[in-house]
Amino acid sequence: MNWITNYVRPRINSMLGRREVPENLWIKCPETGEMVFHKDLEENKWVIPASGYHMKMPAKARLTDLFDGGVYESLPQPKVVQDPLKFRDSKRYIDRLKDSRTKTEQEDTILAGIGQVRGVKLVAVVHEFNFIGGSLGLAAGEAIVKACERAVAEKCPLVIFPASGGARMQEGILSLMQLPRTTVAVDILKEAGLPYIVVLTNPTTGGVTASYAMLGDIHIAEPGAEIGFAGKRVIEQTLREKLPEGFQTSEYLLEHGMVDMVVKRHDIPATLAKLLKMLTKQSVREALPVPVAASA
């Protein structure tokens, strides 16, 4: 035990009224370098006020923002085998899971809920990127399948917000098996005649892009999101060519017909509600918000 560090310094700080400053009190905009007060960023839905840059939004905050009044029923997290391969690299996989659960206060990367969005009942599935990069493993795959089953049972649409680096390598082939499983679950949803909308967020890559993330009836993307399978650098090294400016961004994909619209985060709940009302032949009173135009 270090007596000065663990006893003397805290006593002095408490006597002087000194408080520790949180590390994330100020956040730097990746685009402009502007420092933004964390509370202001949170109140603006994790969008930098000046530049409009869309930061990663926590899964719990996304669900609260999406549903009317922040009220929704959380879907239970399915129980799956933990660390089935007893995987270890620089750190044991089971320890990585414990650390991520402590950091995010979630069991795994997927959160799902059912509620009303502008009066439209739907099931929403959200990736938490801070949980091992939003990677797709046994727990995530099972949660998506269960969410699809709940949507079918409730006869309501399903909306998913992917944010992932792809399949979870610590689960090997068991992770890759979630690609066909989630694809079949989406097919069952569509066979029931229920809408399936994907809202692509930053980043959506790897096995997630190769499965349920690109199977939507409609694909919406947030501005500036990175969307693709392999990384830009890997593609350049393979082709030995320089890729175009803005390659794999939402705007580039919109211009080339890979997504249907790019919509700012503030407009997503209203946009979803109006699209779903049209798809389910309900009354739509207002026009859709104008999507962000693709860059020339």
Side-chain angles (χ1 to χ4, degrees):
M1 178 178 177
N2 188 320
W3 183 71
I4 295 177
T5 301
N6 296 334
Y7 182 76
V8 175
R9 185 176 293 171
R11 291 280 294 178
I12 294 173
N13 287 344
S14 64
M15 290 172 62
L16 297 176
R18 179 180 172 184
R19 295 183 298 174
E20 295 292 331
V21 179
E23 292 181 4
N24 64 344
L25 189 61
W26 294 88
I27 295 175
K28 186 177 181 180
C29 174
E31 202 167 69
T32 65
E34 175 192 6
M35 299 300 292
V36 182
F37 186 51
H38 182 273
K39 194 68 177 175
D40 294 338
L41 186 64
E42 185 177 343
E43 289 175 355
N44 201 41
K45 302 186 181 183
W46 279 265
V47 177
I48 303 293
S51 67
Y53 184 90
H54 284 51
M55 303 287 287
K56 294 179 180 67
M57 189 176 189
K60 291 178 182 177
R62 174 111 35 198
L63 286 176
T64 300
D65 175 68
L66 177 67
F67 289 110
D68 297 343
V71 178
Y72 63 94
E73 175 194 343
S74 295
L75 302 190
Q77 180 68 47
K79 299 297 181 183
V80 298
V81 178
Q82 302 293 305
D83 194 10
L85 305 180
K86 306 300 179 186
F87 191 92
R88 181 178 189 134
D89 43 44
S90 60
K91 190 175 185 179
R92 292 193 309 164
Y93 176 44
I94 195 70
D95 292 333
R96 292 188 187 279
L97 288 172
K98 289 177 183 177
D99 291 345
S100 292
R101 284 167 182 160
T102 301
K103 180 171 65 174
T104 64
E105 298 180 347
Q106 293 182 203
E107 280 299 305
D108 209 271
T109 185
I110 292 292
L111 283 185
I114 182 170
Q116 302 272 338
V117 177
R118 304 296 194 272
V120 179
K121 184 179 180 181
L122 61 82
V123 172
V125 177
V126 183
H127 278 250
E128 174 54 72
F129 190 79
N130 285 327
F131 196 107
I132 314 184
S135 51
L136 177 64
L138 280 168
E142 187 66 16
I144 293 168
V145 170
K146 293 296 183 184
C148 289
E149 291 176 351
R150 181 63 182 271
V152 171
E154 298 282 346
K155 298 180 180 178
C156 68
L158 186 140
V159 178
I160 192 164
F161 294 79
S164 176
R168 189 171 296 176
M169 64 174 236
Q170 292 90 344
E171 295 185 14
I173 189 64
L174 299 174
S175 174
L176 295 178
M177 286 169 62
Q178 307 314 306
L179 277 66
R181 289 190 73 231
T182 53
T183 298
V184 170
V186 170
D187 284 343
I188 293 172
L189 185 75
K190 292 184 176 183
E191 286 174 5
L194 299 169
Y196 173 58
I197 295 181
V198 180
V199 182
L200 299 157
T201 70
N202 184 45
T204 302
T205 58
V208 170
T209 308
S211 54
Y212 56 89
M214 298 307 291
L215 297 175
D217 298 311
I218 296 176
H219 287 96
I220 300 170
E222 289 190 334
E226 179 185 351
I227 305 161
F229 179 69
K232 184 177 179 180
R233 184 172 56 184
V234 173
I235 296 172
E236 286 184 333
Q237 290 174 348
T238 303
L239 298 179
R240 297 181 182 178
E241 291 183 9
K242 185 71 175 175
L243 293 172
E245 187 69 28
F247 182 73
Q248 290 186 327
T249 62
S250 300
E251 293 74 15
Y252 185 91
L253 267 63
L254 175 64
E255 185 179 344
H256 291 78
M258 290 295 291
V259 301
D260 299 296
M261 59 182 74
V262 178
V263 179
K264 293 179 180 178
R265 186 172 292 163
H266 292 73
D267 296 328
I268 284 175
T271 302
L272 285 173
K274 290 166 187 174
L275 286 171
L276 290 171
K277 284 181 179 179
M278 287 190 289
L279 290 172
T280 56
K281 300 181 181 178
Q282 299 179 45
S283 174
V284 181
R285 296 183 180 179
E286 300 174 354
L288 285 167
V290 178
V292 178
S295 56

